[in-house]
Amino acid sequence: MSNAVANGLAGAGGGIIAQIITYPLQTVNTRQQTERVAKKGLDTITTTTTTSEPSPPSPPPPRGTLVQIFQVIRTEGWGGLYSGLKPSLFGTAASQGIYYYFYQVFKNRAEAIAVARKGKGLGDGTVGMFSWILVAAIAGSLNVLFTNPIWVLVTRMQTHTQAEKKVMEGRREALLREASECSSTELPTFKEKLAELDSIKPRPYGTLHAAGEVYCEAGITGFWKGIIPTLIMVCNPSIQFMIYETSLKKLRFRRAANKRGSKNVSALEVFLLGALAKLGATLCTYPLLVVKSRLQAKQDIGGNIAFQYTGTLDAIFKMIRYEGLSGFYKGMSTKIVQSVFAASVLFMVKEELVKMYLMLAAKSRKTLLRILN
C-alpha cells in the first residue's frame, strides 16, 4: 500500500470518528446558518403580492447552542440531531479519503521538487508556505467537485424540519389573514382548517426523498448548488494545512535542535496543533460557509422571495440588504467549537492510524526478510 493510500484511509477513518462525535453540533449549526430573519423595519417581498408589504415578524430562534440542542431533542427526539447522518458519514469518508489521497500525492511531489532544487543549489530542501497552500488547494478542489452532491443532500436533511416549520407558518399566516376578512359564520370553518394544519406532522425525509426534491427543484445542476463559495472555501483547508504543517515542522525542528531524542509528536500535541489550525481557517472563511448553506438548503419556504437565492451573488446581496453583515456570522460560535474539536480529533486519529500502518508495514517487511533469508 502506498503512502498516499495509507493517508487517504487514515484520513477517512479519522473523519468518520470526528463526524460521529460532533454531528449534533453540526446539525444545530447548519440550522443556525440557514435561519432567515429580516432586520426590523425592513419590508419583505412575497410571491403572492405585486407590491412590497411588511410580513408579520417571525418568532426569533432560540438563543444559545445548548438551548437549541435541547429544543431539537424535545420536539424531534434524538434522531433530529442526527438527521442526514448516513449520507454525511459516507460523504466524510469519501471527502477525507479523496482529500488526503490527493494531498499526499501532491505533497510527495512538492517534497521531491524541493529536494531536487536543493541539489541544484536552490533552497534548503524544504517545502515553502506557498507550496503547502497550492498542494492543499488542488486537493481541496478535486474533493469539492467529487463530493458536493453528497453535502447538498446532507444540508437538506439537516434543515428539513426547520424548512417544514417555515412552510407551515406561511400557511397559518395566510389562513389567519383570510379569517380576519371573513364573516362570523365562516369562523368555525377556519378554526377547523387551523386545527387540521396544526395536526400535520413533518413527513419522513430520507436520502432518496432529498435527492428527488433537489432534482425537481433545479435538475441535475441542483446537486452542485453552492459550488462557487465551496470552491472559494478551498482556501479553508489550505489555510488549515498551511498552519498545521508549518507548526508541525517547527515543533519537530525545535525538538531536534534541543536534542530531546525522538522527533515524534505526541497525540496531544497533534490535537492542539489541529485545533489551532482549524480555528484560524474557520475565522477567515465562515461567511462563505453561511452562503453555501443558504444555497444548498430548500429555497421555497413560505413564498418570501427575499430569502430565496438564485446564485452566490444574489444570496450575498440579499443577505446584506435584509439581514445585514451579522447574517454572515450566524452560528459562528457553534461552528468554531464543532470544527475545531472535529479537526483536532481527525488529525489525532489520522496520525495514530498512519503510525500504526507504518509500524505494521515495518514489521511485515522484517518478517518477509526473515522468511526469504
Side-chain angles (χ1 to χ4, degrees), residues 3 63 70 88 94 136 165 185 278 293 333-334 353 355 372:
N3 195 27
R63 295 188 177 277
F70 288 131
S88 178
K165 284 180 181 178
T185 56
K278 191 62 180 179
S293 295
S333 58
T334 307
L353 289 175
K355 285 179 187 177
L372 292 174

Side-chain angles (χ1 to χ4, degrees), residues 29 33 282 286 289 331-340:
N29 179 241
Q33 290 171 347
T282 300
Y286 189 76
L289 183 61
M332 186 171 182
S333 58
T334 307
K335 183 61 181 177
I336 288 174
V337 174
Q338 183 270 328
S339 60
V340 168

